[in-house]
Amino acid sequence: MDYGWYYVDELSPSEELVDKFADSKFGMDKWTSFSREIIQNSLDARDDENSPVEVVFDLNKKLRIDDIPGGDYMKYVLSRCAEKATNKQTKQAYQKGLEVLGRPYVYCLKVSDFNTKGVETGRDKAWGAFVFDEGKSVKQRPGSAGSHGVGKKVPFIISTCNTVFYATKNKYVKDGIENSDVLVQGKTSLTNWDDENGKTKSAKGWYGIKNPSAPS
């Protein structure tokens, strides 16, 4: 299968040229907001009610650009965003992102949780709402906190490159047998940019299987 980043052509006459997170309420205290949202999501997916949920924050300082899926293409897209951006603050943010990706090592924050069921698989389930949809929340257990679907923006605010990779092992029981699905998806939330052919591209990019119908 063909894996990589893909951005659809932007067909709307309107363009997004300003960082959409610049005036977000989460940006006022982004690290507190980030940790709170992450921990709450993990608590909502608790597996064994008699055991605590463990959330681990791990800052990896030894990643090279080649270790990041599609890292070189991310640099290309950020450079195009910086070139097209008209807002000074947004342009500076992309230039900072390019500086970070150009270093010998790139810092990557990995968050893992344990004693959780994972994110329920399905486009109309929790996975679809969490990764793909804005303003939508599918809670996996009664009494879960947060239901507006806006907290998912926070990881992009703390990312210098507005890029997040998601991975989940979703545990479920079917016909009395415990099963699990493993899903991985990359996502960028940037501004519109023009490729080398002058085509305007979507502000959102996705890392995954580019041609799902192709034979593996």
Side-chain angles (χ1 to χ4, degrees):
M1 292 185 179
D2 184 15
Y3 294 87
W5 286 102
Y6 55 99
Y7 292 78
V8 299
D9 292 344
E10 179 59 75
L11 302 178
S12 170
S14 175
E15 290 185 320
E16 295 182 31
L17 301 176
V18 178
D19 180 1
K20 61 178 64 64
F21 304 119
D23 60 350
S24 170
K25 66 175 183 178
F26 297 109
M28 292 184 288
D29 190 357
K30 60 183 181 181
W31 288 105
T32 298
S33 298
F34 173 72
S35 56
R36 181 178 61 245
E37 292 293 331
I38 291 293
I39 292 171
Q40 186 59 62
N41 286 338
S42 297
L43 291 175
D44 289 344
R46 183 195 298 265
D47 186 13
D48 182 355
E49 295 291 342
N50 297 313
S51 300
V53 170
E54 181 182 1
V55 182
V56 178
F57 295 80
D58 177 24
L59 182 61
N60 189 332
K61 300 181 180 181
K62 291 296 183 180
L63 283 180
R64 296 184 182 275
I65 190 67
D66 292 340
D67 297 322
I68 302 173
D72 285 332
Y73 194 73
M74 286 172 56
K75 290 172 63 177
Y76 163 75
V77 173
L78 253 65
S79 67
R80 290 287 178 170
C81 287
E83 182 178 329
K84 189 177 179 67
T86 56
N87 178 271
K88 181 179 179 180
Q89 182 179 354
T90 300
K91 188 180 289 288
Q92 290 175 339
Y94 288 140
Q95 290 169 344
K96 177 64 175 179
L98 288 169
E99 176 191 337
V100 169
L101 292 180
R103 295 172 182 171
Y105 293 103
V106 179
Y107 287 11
C108 179
L109 178 61
K110 176 184 177 182
V111 183
S112 307
D113 59 20
F114 304 90
N115 187 33
T116 57
K117 296 179 180 179
V119 185
E120 188 177 8
T121 308
R123 183 62 184 85
D124 296 323
K125 303 295 184 180
W127 174 261
F130 182 59
V131 177
F132 301 112
D133 300 327
E134 294 186 8
K136 179 180 179 181
S137 178
V138 176
K139 292 301 180 181
Q140 301 184 133
R141 52 181 283 174
S144 296
S147 60
H148 302 293
V150 296
K152 68 190 73 173
K153 296 179 179 179
V154 183
F156 294 94
I157 297 175
I158 67 166
S159 169
T160 307
C161 302
N162 296 140
T163 302
V164 177
F165 288 91
Y166 303 97
T168 187
K169 183 177 182 180
N170 174 41
K171 297 169 60 177
Y172 62 95
V173 176
K174 183 177 181 180
D175 298 328
I177 302 174
E178 185 173 288
N179 297 273
S180 63
D181 296 325
V182 176
L183 298 96
V184 179
Q185 179 76 62
K187 180 179 179 181
T188 61
S189 189
L190 304 167
T191 51
N192 291 130
W193 54 281
D194 295 337
D195 67 11
E196 66 275 12
N197 298 314
K199 281 188 172 295
T200 300
K201 294 293 185 176
S202 169
K204 286 188 174 62
W206 309 92
Y207 186 90
I209 301 173
K210 297 176 70 174
N211 185 7
S213 62
S216 59

